[in-house]
Amino acid sequence: MRRLFLAGLVTALLPLVGCGETTDSSESEMRPNLIFIMSDDHAEQAISAYGSQLIETPNIDRIASEGIRFDNSFVTNSICAPSRAVLLTGKYSHLNGLRDNRDEFDGSQMTFPKLLQQAGYQTGIVGKWHLKTDPTGFDSWRILIGQGEYYSPIFRENGERKQYTGYVTELITDFALEFLENRDRDKPFLLLYHHKAPHRNWMPNIKDLGRFNNPDLPVPETFWDDYAGREAAATQDMRIEDMFLSQDMKLHKEFYGEETGTGGSDVSNPEPAWANSYGRMTDEQKAAWDAYYGPINEEFKQANLQGRELTEWKYRRYMEDYLGSVHSVDENIGRLLDYLDQNGLAENTVVVYTSDQGFYLGEHGWYDKRFMYEESLSMPLVIRYPAEIPAGQVTDLMALNLDFAPTLLDYAGVEAPAEMQGASLRTLVRGETPADWRDSMYYHYYEFPHGWHLVKRHYGIRTQRYKLIHFYNDIDTWELFDLESDPNELNNLYGQPEYAEIQSDLHRQLIDLQEKYKDQPGE
Ligand code: CA
């Protein structure tokens, strides 16, 4: 009760901090620090706070249990660079100009780090950026080039290139701690701490090899989905069955005959990509890598697996490496949380953990993201701020990545510009339910026919119970799911007479959302 009362008092005082004005030290002491942790392709299914059967993630769980976990947190466009542009601008892809991974981010536009910088925050980003143009609005930046590499990655540091020996997740954390250690102690700070992991091609840290080796790991219940009634789901190229033996399974040439995977791309020969990933390791790392995987790969070669057996083997190798990569993310978040504790920063720092989208861990037979189906539409979201957020909360109110910019501005006492389309989560995470909170969300994905994985363009609406999707461009198909009776989205109800009323209501709501967010139905 006392904490809630004090939190209310702090909130009441916040409007005194003017938008964009310089502040004296008493005000800056009062404003919270902001640490926004985003990993890449981390599915809720691989976080124990979300009930994962695959892995324990004690440090991410700690953020959840000491704060709040969102069970209905979604992205508006489930792919890497577009999600990051939504984060920075608080605007949908069609308005921030970054629809798919080919586009470049226009760094001259309004972003929340710029507004925080103007409001007296020290701003920094370390790790994955992936927006092609140089970061703007940051006092310091140390970013990977493009997707980055797991071993011996090259960083760009305020414009200068520098290669480091080591493992990417540990290096990014070292740089985050360095930012904190060297911070201007007269200012509050914003740190975007963005991991590359667990993005493809899922290379674990050497010390974690073998940690998730499980030859008995069962495949998910939808693993052998036949995609009946879902034309776009049937025509993608993101099945585990089609993963590359080289770059994805990380097999050296001597362990297989011909590369049979399509890998979701038009890359005709993926072997050089694996040669590059492996070649970046030091001799010592290579020796440890081969000592672990060599006997397993030899066993694979001898077994000469075919058909479903081969696909299930690929699934288990994928999961072993994916979970290994996640483990390091969680472990390193623990280092950051420990630093906050040891330096008296825990109480007055907002810590957000999320991912740029969800991911398929074998559901529907897939890896990757893109679809508006639950696994990739969902993003993990947990937030801790002991000074204001009561511990142990779980909410099913809908949060979107559109909300991050207005939320972080709200904590800094900076008014969100009217052009931002999300809403601040601040009141909600204090434990109150805002009266007019959204009960549906709008989605739009664009990366087709160019790009990876051949997922058709689509847009749609998700309510608490239903989902309506329109796939367009070179097809014209609608899908309707009842998430209550069919949480795995296998049964397309579109056009069924008993759902006619629900269907037309969803169509109306969809048009309303497109008007609200100023999006035109696609062509
Ligand atoms: Ca991603």
Side-chain angles (χ1 to χ4, degrees), residues 126 142 155 157 164 170-179:
V126 295
R142 230 166 169 178
F155 286 82
E157 307 178 4
Y164 291 83
E170 294 182 332
L171 288 168
I172 291 170
T173 309
D174 292 345
F175 300 155
L177 297 180
E178 214 173 285
F179 172 90

Side-chain angles (χ1 to χ4, degrees), residues 210-408:
R211 185 180 278 274
F212 295 96
N213 183 337
N214 180 1
D216 301 319
L217 186 69
V219 297
E221 62 175 306
T222 60
F223 191 74
W224 298 109
D225 190 359
D226 64 3
Y227 315 118
R230 289 155 290 145
E231 187 183 341
T235 56
Q236 45 54 47
D237 182 1
M238 47 188 257
R239 292 195 300 170
I240 288 168
E241 181 179 345
D242 298 320
M243 279 180 162
F244 290 131
L245 289 168
S246 51
Q247 175 70 341
D248 294 321
M249 298 293 102
K250 308 170 196 76
L251 293 170
H252 297 323
K253 186 70 184 159
E254 71 254 34
F255 296 113
Y256 63 96
E258 289 297 307
E259 174 66 77
T260 54
T262 57
S265 79
D266 54 7
V267 176
S268 55
N269 180 12
E271 285 163 12
W274 169 235
N276 176 57
S277 302
Y278 176 75
R280 304 182 75 87
M281 289 194 268
T282 63
D283 289 346
E284 198 180 3
Q285 288 165 341
K286 282 177 191 164
W289 185 276
D290 290 334
Y292 174 69
Y293 283 111
I296 296 171
N297 295 346
E298 184 58 35
E299 197 181 317
F300 167 78
K301 182 183 177 184
Q302 298 304 328
N304 192 27
L305 302 173
Q306 306 291 329
R308 286 193 169 200
E309 278 190 334
L310 174 59
T311 303
E312 292 197 6
W313 185 89
K314 284 184 170 183
Y315 165 71
R316 293 193 181 99
R317 168 60 70 88
Y318 162 45
M319 290 315 303
E320 174 171 2
D321 290 350
Y322 180 92
L323 297 170
S325 305
V326 168
H327 174 79
S328 183
V329 170
D330 184 72
E331 179 180 54
N332 278 279
I333 288 170
R335 288 174 63 201
L336 183 99
L337 295 177
D338 288 348
Y339 181 92
L340 298 181
D341 287 341
Q342 289 154 11
N343 290 274
L345 289 167
E347 183 76 8
N348 196 38
T349 300
V350 178
V351 178
V352 179
Y353 180 78
T354 188
S355 170
D356 60 347
Q357 6 73 205
F359 213 66
Y360 295 93
L361 305 184
E363 300 86 0
H364 305 287
W366 295 338
Y367 61 106
D368 213 72
K369 51 256 181 181
R370 297 160 198 271
F371 278 108
M372 199 191 164
Y373 303 133
E374 289 296 275
E375 292 84 353
S376 46
L377 177 69
S378 301
M379 62 178 183
L381 176 59
V382 295
I383 309 178
R384 183 187 82 169
Y385 177 31
E388 190 172 308
I389 301 177
Q393 296 182 82
V394 176
T395 181
D396 63 1
L397 294 173
M398 278 189 198
L400 305 180
N401 58 342
L402 207 58
D403 301 330
F404 291 139
T407 301
L408 295 168

Side-chain angles (χ1 to χ4, degrees), residues 5-19 21 23 26-32 388 410-414 426 430:
F5 170 74
L6 288 173
L9 199 63
V10 170
T11 311
L13 290 171
L14 268 169
L16 297 176
V17 182
C19 173
E21 290 166 16
T23 57
S26 63
E27 282 171 334
S28 66
E29 271 168 30
M30 196 173 67
R31 292 190 292 173
E388 190 172 308
D410 195 358
Y411 279 116
V414 177
R426 187 173 183 178
R430 274 204 299 261

Side-chain angles (χ1 to χ4, degrees), residues 455-470:
V455 173
K456 308 286 190 193
R457 293 184 181 214
H458 59 291
Y459 56 82
I461 178 176
R462 187 203 191 280
T463 66
Q464 291 284 359
R465 176 162 178 186
Y466 296 102
K467 191 182 288 181
L468 177 70
I469 314 175
H470 183 217

